[in-house]
Amino acid sequence: IERDIDLVEYTTVCRSPVERADAVVSIALVEAVPADDDLVGMLGDMYLHWAQHKGLSTTVVHELLFADGATQELVLLVGGVAAYGVLGGEDGIHEFNYGKTSKQPKVGRFVRVRVLPVVDVPGVDLGPQQLESRRGAAKGPGKHVPRYKSRVTLTHRPTLVSVQAANGLAPEKSADLCRDWLQAELARRK
């Protein structure tokens, strides 16, 4: 109980609908070049383990791997009371330094973490007439999903905002999660 007191106290402070919303966490390398370490994968694992430890739900919405198997991009849906309020502070550029304590020159690698609230956007219609959806099968093993099953692209026609996901879910479930992700992207733009 003691380890969860901080989270419980913080969630009582989060009162607005945005702070109490679920969160989409998007993690990607700033430069799309593989690093020696799987930085995106390590950050993704950290967020997944933290959320599961705190009793929050997690779903891998999208994963893109480099040819060497390192994670290039990872998008997670974290659900639970005040998930966005708690994770919102993670939004920004995270720097990883190499060579600081050795004779090698210091090298920095940068990872962009975007934390978006899943909230309704006033004046934005996400009905079937406003969305273009493309669904297809995906194959191969993943890193954060056992095996890819679907690839879904969802575009909001009026704004042309689009999300594309590859994951281990059935296409219908993946499309539902893409709708949440698209809704979060549109909320960020308002």
Side-chain angles (χ1 to χ4, degrees):
I1 292 172
E2 187 176 315
R3 71 175 185 220
D4 294 331
I5 287 176
D6 289 339
L7 181 62
V8 170
E9 287 177 342
Y10 189 73
T11 58
T12 62
V13 174
C14 295
R15 299 208 183 274
S16 76
V18 172
E19 291 173 322
R20 297 190 71 77
D22 293 344
V24 171
V25 180
S26 172
I27 311 161
L29 288 171
V30 171
E31 296 179 68
V33 178
D36 293 339
D37 297 327
D38 184 2
L39 300 177
V40 172
M42 288 188 320
L43 270 178
D45 288 341
M46 181 193 72
Y47 292 127
L48 287 167
H49 290 119
W50 174 85
Q52 290 164 354
H53 177 72
K54 296 299 184 184
L56 303 173
S57 65
T58 59
T59 306
V60 175
V61 179
H62 171 63
E63 179 183 66
L64 176 63
L65 301 178
F66 286 109
D68 69 358
T71 313
Q72 182 175 350
E73 184 178 17
L74 186 64
V75 178
L76 311 170
L77 177 63
V78 180
V81 176
Y84 177 74
V86 173
L87 289 169
E90 292 294 312
D91 192 278
I93 304 293
H94 295 243
E95 180 179 11
F96 294 84
N97 291 306
Y98 296 90
K100 259 171 77 167
T101 59
S102 68
K103 295 179 182 179
Q104 299 173 332
K106 179 180 169 185
V107 176
R109 294 299 309 259
F110 299 93
V111 177
R112 174 175 287 125
V113 176
R114 297 174 65 237
V115 182
L116 312 167
V118 181
V119 293
D120 290 330
V121 183
V124 174
D125 181 8
L126 289 176
Q129 303 296 344
Q130 303 301 318
L131 299 177
E132 177 183 327
S133 178
R134 291 191 312 258
R135 302 174 188 188
K139 295 181 181 180
K143 189 165 192 167
H144 292 87
V145 296
R147 182 158 294 285
Y148 294 114
K149 292 183 183 175
S150 66
R151 185 173 310 279
V152 173
T153 302
L154 197 59
T155 303
H156 183 243
R157 288 185 176 116
T159 61
L160 298 179
V161 173
S162 183
V163 296
Q164 181 177 13
N167 56 46
L169 303 168
E172 298 77 29
K173 177 67 175 167
S174 184
D176 288 343
L177 290 175
C178 281
R179 187 180 183 284
D180 288 344
W181 181 13
L182 182 62
Q183 183 176 354
E185 291 286 353
L186 291 168
R188 181 64 153 307
R189 294 167 194 263
K190 282 287 182 175

